Amino acid sequence: MKLEIGNFNVKDVIFGEKTMFSNGVLSINKEEALAFIKEDEHITELDIVIAKPGDSTRIVPVKEAVEPRIRPDGRPVFPGVTGDLESAGEGRIHALKGCSVLGVGMHYGSFGDGLIDMSGEGAKYTLFSELINVCIVADTDEEFERFEQQKKNKAIRWAAHRFAEYLGNTVKELEPEEIESYELEPITKRTEKENNLPSVVLVMQPQSQMEELGYNDLVYGWDMNKYIPTFMHPNEVFDGAIISGSFMPSSSKWSTYDFQNFPTIKELYKEHGKSINFLGIIMSNLNVSLEQKKRSSIFVAQMAKSLGADGAIVTEEGYGNPDADYIMCIAALEDVGVKTVGISNECTGRDGASQPLVTLDEKANALVSTGNVSEIIELPPMENVIGELEALARDGLSGGWAYDEILGSSVREDGSIIMENNAMFCGDRISGWSTKTMKEF
């Protein structure tokens, strides 16, 4: 299975007379773009705002991020979501690099939404401060969840995916500046050299804990709460087979942009045939009951053993209850002789002194931390706010609060903020972007 990603490097994004890409500049006809997004009757209020690195701009509540892409052959970029159900992971796709489409609430936030600062101290926490962000700022008629802390945010999230495909159309017929190629031979057809290297599998645990459908990550448009661990080709992940959900504190989230560019997968590809034999991905899930967690760990361990894996990387989207799935999976792999490394963030409390994961096991002896969700962050005011700043304090964003007897509100009168790292959009970069280091005191 071979996937080619044709890249077009975006140097600037502007509003212009025509939606087009030329000489590194993405131009958007705003009136036409607004009309396209509002074809969804659930979008009631709408604006499009461009945020660039270095701007004195704060964006909140951010619900989703998507890289603009298009398939030259006409197949949907996100099968089962933006079009008919088709196989992913093979063929050619064109991508606008250096930019993203953000879905942003115009008035209301929710538990899984986050914040992005485009400059200053806050910019270091999230990859999206480094990108040119085309922000869909919207309100919807989804009244059933307006005042719920946990929202599905379907209209805004779907708008982000549809608009990413719309912008991708600008490069559908153009010749890419560079082409990334990803190909793995079938496991039983590999060279002697590859087969003699240590075999490694990546175990991914996307968010799937909400038993009511509509909150979880989707695989080929299917809610992952109904999913059991399955062997997948890594190209499927790059190629739109999985999209992000609306559940899980924001710093722990894998946005759709993360799935499209998953750095850990890219690193495994780089080492394939050199230091490792990259077998592929066991796409697992995250569960609620102990029995469900145990069942998934059995599936994962059996699959890894049957594939002949010598080693595994396990990575989870989230923390808290999902830590039980994460640690149980690592222990199950170690029990069948697969040496395993875990990658996750941790929740060690505001003082950093608490147990990092909800549960631990002596077999989980190689863990990589990408940050503490509870770390307190204070940031000065920004000149501009895209969305609604008060949402951070008012709407139950994990990491924000309306009142604390010591710290007051997360949003102060002067526009400065205090919050937990929890509220940084994809702030812990668990997919492999992380630049954080750990120090022992």
Side-chain angles (χ1 to χ4, degrees):
M1 184 180 283
K2 182 178 181 179
L3 176 68
E4 292 184 331
I5 304 176
N7 292 332
F8 298 81
N9 296 305
V10 178
K11 299 173 185 175
D12 199 8
V13 180
I14 62 172
F15 291 118
E17 294 184 4
K18 184 178 180 180
T19 299
M20 61 181 290
F21 179 81
S22 179
N23 296 319
V25 178
L26 175 62
S27 176
I28 303 170
N29 181 309
K30 187 173 182 178
E31 185 176 343
E32 291 177 0
L34 290 169
F36 171 79
I37 297 169
K38 291 194 77 172
E39 288 175 4
D40 182 347
E41 61 185 11
H42 297 292
I43 303 289
T44 56
E45 292 185 71
L46 179 65
D47 195 9
I48 300 173
V49 184
I50 300 168
K52 301 179 182 181
D55 288 353
S56 181
T57 297
R58 180 162 288 151
I59 313 170
V60 64
V62 183
K63 303 171 184 294
E64 173 63 299
V66 188
E67 183 171 77
R69 293 186 174 186
I70 196 67
R71 287 186 176 280
D73 64 9
R75 287 183 294 155
V77 174
F78 303 103
V81 176
T82 57
D84 294 338
L85 192 56
E86 305 266 2
S87 63
E90 196 164 25
R92 170 76 71 86
I93 195 161
H94 286 177
L96 289 163
K97 309 302 290 187
C99 67
S100 81
V101 172
L102 296 183
V104 183
M106 183 175 285
H107 298 301
Y108 297 97
S110 66
F111 178 77
D113 298 347
L115 177 145
I116 297 169
D117 273 2
M118 296 303 296
S119 64
E121 176 69 11
K124 72 182 184 183
Y125 288 93
T126 173
L127 170 76
F128 296 94
S129 65
E130 302 170 23
L131 304 178
I132 302 173
N133 297 302
V134 183
C135 304
I136 296 174
V137 189
D139 198 13
T140 77
D141 67 357
E142 294 160 322
E143 297 291 340
F144 69 96
E145 64 181 17
R146 185 170 300 282
F147 300 111
E148 295 292 330
Q149 183 186 25
Q150 189 70 57
K151 296 178 175 64
K152 297 177 182 178
N153 291 314
K154 181 176 180 180
I156 294 176
R157 291 193 295 120
W158 257 239
H161 291 87
R162 289 179 61 243
F163 192 54
E165 199 170 75
Y166 176 91
L167 294 179
N169 263 305
T170 60
V171 296
K172 184 175 183 179
E173 307 295 337
L174 302 182
E175 189 62 30
E177 299 168 32
E178 60 182 4
I179 295 177
E180 298 177 38
S181 183
Y182 297 98
E183 184 175 16
L184 288 178
E185 291 297 321
I187 290 172
T188 59
K189 306 294 184 183
R190 297 191 179 171
T191 66
E192 183 179 357
K193 177 187 175 184
E194 289 167 341
N195 286 330
N196 286 333
L197 293 169
S199 294
V200 176
V201 68
L202 174 63
V203 180
M204 294 175 63
Q205 297 179 311
Q207 189 52 235
S208 55
Q209 285 188 292
M210 291 294 280
E211 294 182 338
E212 181 179 338
L213 303 186
Y215 296 98
N216 300 302
D217 294 0
L218 302 182
V219 55
Y220 285 104
W222 189 30
D223 193 298
M224 293 191 75
N225 183 258
K226 302 302 181 184
Y227 183 85
I228 59 173
T230 303
F231 185 68
M232 287 184 71
H233 197 288
N235 290 1
E236 294 177 278
V237 179
F238 286 154
D239 198 25
I242 301 184
I243 72 166
S244 179
S246 67
F247 178 65
M248 191 39 56
S250 192
S251 72
S252 304
K253 187 189 292 289
W254 287 336
S255 69
T256 297
Y257 186 100
D258 288 303
F259 285 120
Q260 292 172 296
N261 295 279
F262 216 82
T264 301
I265 299 176
K266 290 188 177 183
E267 287 299 314
L268 289 166
Y269 253 117
K270 286 179 184 177
E271 291 303 313
H272 176 66
K274 297 176 183 176
S275 63
I276 63 167
N277 178 15
F278 179 28
L279 299 174
I281 294 173
I282 298 174
M283 190 60 66
S284 188
N285 56 346
L286 294 166
N287 303 281
V288 177
S289 74
L290 187 60
E291 182 181 284
Q292 291 170 329
K293 297 175 190 294
K294 183 67 174 177
R295 185 182 297 115
S296 287
S297 71
I298 290 170
F299 271 123
V300 169
Q302 175 274 125
M303 231 177 296
K305 186 176 181 179
S306 297
L307 288 167
D310 300 305
I313 297 172
V314 178
T315 184
E316 65 169 333
E317 181 187 13
Y319 71 94
N321 185 287
D323 293 344
D325 303 73
Y326 175 61
I327 294 297
M328 190 177 290
C329 182
I330 292 172
L333 286 163
E334 291 280 348
D335 282 341
V336 297
V338 180
K339 296 297 182 183
T340 305
V341 174
I343 305 174
S344 73
N345 58 10
E346 58 184 277
C347 182
T348 52
R350 292 178 179 178
D351 60 0
S354 299
Q355 179 172 305
L357 303 172
V358 165
T359 184
L360 291 168
D361 190 297
E362 289 183 354
K363 296 166 190 170
N365 57 11
L367 300 177
V368 177
S369 171
T370 63
N372 173 19
V373 301
S374 302
E375 178 188 352
I376 289 290
I377 298 170
E378 293 190 65
L379 298 172
M382 287 285 172
E383 292 177 12
N384 305 300
V385 174
I386 297 174
E388 189 172 47
L389 183 58
E390 187 55 37
L392 174 65
R394 183 194 64 214
D395 296 337
L397 273 68
S398 185
W401 53 85
Y403 175 72
D404 181 283
E405 62 182 16
I406 298 173
L407 302 175
S409 171
S410 280
V411 179
R412 296 161 173 157
E413 290 185 6
D414 65 353
S416 63
I417 59 174
I418 183 169
M419 66 182 203
E420 290 185 350
N421 177 51
N422 253 323
M424 278 293 177
F425 184 71
C426 300
D428 290 325
R429 309 193 194 194
I430 303 168
S431 59
W433 308 104
S434 184
T435 58
K436 293 178 181 175
T437 57
M438 183 177 292
K439 294 182 179 180
E440 187 172 342
F441 295 94

